[in-house]
Every structure is written in structure tokens, then in C-alpha cells.
Amino acid sequence: MSKRQQSKYKICRRLGVNLWGRPKSPTNRRDYGPGQHGQRRRKPSDFGVQLAAKQRLRGYYGNITEKQFRRYYHIAGNRKGDTGENLIGLLERRLDAVVYRMKFVPTVFAARQFVSHGHILVNGRRVTIPSYLVKDEDRITVRERSKQLPLVLEAIDSPEREVPDYLEVDHDRMEGRYIRAPKLADVPYPVQMEPNLVIEYYSR
């Protein structure tokens, strides 16, 4: 499991975007990097543009490790079809991402912790691995004793996000179904993601 060693909002400020679309993000007020030299702006090189695209995508999914992210790239490249679309499909199959998309928790970081603490069942079986890849038609359920947690109730009532079309969710029963892997256009990212630049970065 990836460890977050710094404030998630520093990730937003370093990248200069409100990565998760949260109203409390400091980029809403200060759209420059953190630190003494954060306001210095230089035109990025092609490599810098590709690196920023990779860091945005990697950071969005809870700042997963570089080793794990590179592994997803290799798996995506070995599959038929567009590598960028395949990469997005893999990332959206992560159990923590699915739990976040289904609005069982307010943030992707909370989703990782929620899964690792054993609050989620996949097809009736407890899964504690956030990077577990969900399959089509898998059923994701919040454990009975976890359904009244304030974290869960807060997320369900939040108007910040909508559940995307490639998922089916019943918030009364606290369960959902993974229908299919999405295309890039189907994923409700708050900021523009450019997986094509990520592929260029790794294929240098």
C-alpha cells in the first residue's frame, strides 16, 4: 500500500490544479506552487509537460507508488486497443477508486484506508487490498457494521460528486455493481487528464 508522507493539498499546489475538485483546496486561492520559490513560473519543456501529466494522473488515485504506476503502464501496453484508454480502465478498476466513485467515502485517501481496514466486501468476500482490480459485474458492498459510520453517511449526502454511468449504486443498501471499464471521456475528472502524454513519458 502506498504511504502518503505529505499533505494531499501540497500535491495540488505543486501541480497547480485542484486535483480532486474539493472546495477546500488551496489552489482555489493560490494557484502557484508551495514554498519560497513557488511563484516562479517557467515554460515547461516537453519532458516537463509529460511529467506533469503523469504526476496528475498518479496523484489523483491517491499518489500511488511509481513502481505500481509503471506496472499499470506495462499491463496496459500489453493489451489490445489504445494504451492510454487501457491505463485509465485499469486505474478505475482499483478497489479504492471504485469505492470512492460509488460515494461510500469522501476522498480517495479515505477509500484506501476504508478498504485496508476491512469495511468492504467484493461478491460477499472481505477484501483489504486497495489495489485489488475489480472485474465486470462484481458487487461491492459496505459491511453491515460499517454502514452507519459518520464518514460513510457524510460521503453519501455530499453534493460534490455524482456516481458515473459505468457503476450502479444503491445507497440505501450500501452496495453497488461494477458494470464495465470506462473510457477516458466517461471518467468525471475535475481536471484534464492526458494519458497520451503519460504513455509518451514512459515510452521515451
Side-chain angles (χ1 to χ4, degrees), residues 20-86:
W20 301 283
R22 301 304 303 275
K24 293 182 180 180
S25 174
T27 56
N28 295 338
R29 303 184 306 275
R30 296 169 290 180
D31 62 345
Y32 50 86
Q36 181 180 359
H37 306 293
Q39 297 188 56
R40 295 182 181 178
R41 293 177 182 268
R42 291 182 295 179
K43 184 177 179 180
S45 63
D46 290 343
F47 171 80
V49 171
Q50 294 166 0
L51 176 62
K54 186 203 69 158
Q55 298 293 60
R56 278 198 304 274
L57 193 59
R58 191 182 136 220
Y60 181 82
Y61 290 95
N63 211 28
I64 58 180
T65 64
E66 175 63 25
K67 181 179 179 180
Q68 197 168 40
F69 197 75
R70 184 181 287 272
R71 177 172 165 268
Y72 289 136
Y73 160 72
H74 287 303
I75 296 173
N78 289 329
R79 293 185 174 182
K80 292 181 180 179
D82 182 80
T83 303
E85 294 282 3
N86 291 343

Side-chain angles (χ1 to χ4, degrees), residues 181-192:
K183 299 293 185 182
L184 175 61
D186 300 329
V187 183
Y189 291 120
V191 299
Q192 183 182 7

Side-chain angles (χ1 to χ4, degrees), residues 18 30 34 47 63 66 92 103 126 137 160 171 176 181:
N18 185 352
R30 296 169 290 180
F47 171 80
N63 211 28
E66 175 63 25
E92 285 293 313
K103 288 186 67 176
R126 188 171 67 161
E137 301 302 323
E160 282 184 26
H171 282 139

Side-chain angles (χ1 to χ4, degrees), residues 106-173:
T107 70
V108 70
F109 296 100
R112 180 177 297 166
Q113 188 177 53
F114 200 66
V115 172
S116 64
H117 286 188
H119 297 293
I120 291 293
L121 306 176
V122 179
N123 298 326
R125 182 173 61 90
R126 188 171 67 161
V127 177
T128 58
I129 303 171
S131 61
Y132 175 88
L133 295 181
V134 175
K135 301 178 182 66
D136 291 356
E137 301 302 323
D138 275 357
R139 292 200 167 272
I140 315 300
T141 310
V142 177
R143 292 185 72 187
E144 191 63 38
R145 68 183 186 183
S146 308
K147 291 181 178 179
Q148 296 303 315
L149 289 174
L151 180 82
V152 177
L153 299 177
E154 172 198 340
I156 289 174
D157 291 337
S158 172
E160 282 184 26
R161 298 178 289 120
E162 297 293 333
V163 177
D165 293 339
Y166 50 91
L167 301 173
E168 187 180 85
V169 183
D170 183 342
H171 282 139
D172 291 330
R173 299 175 63 184

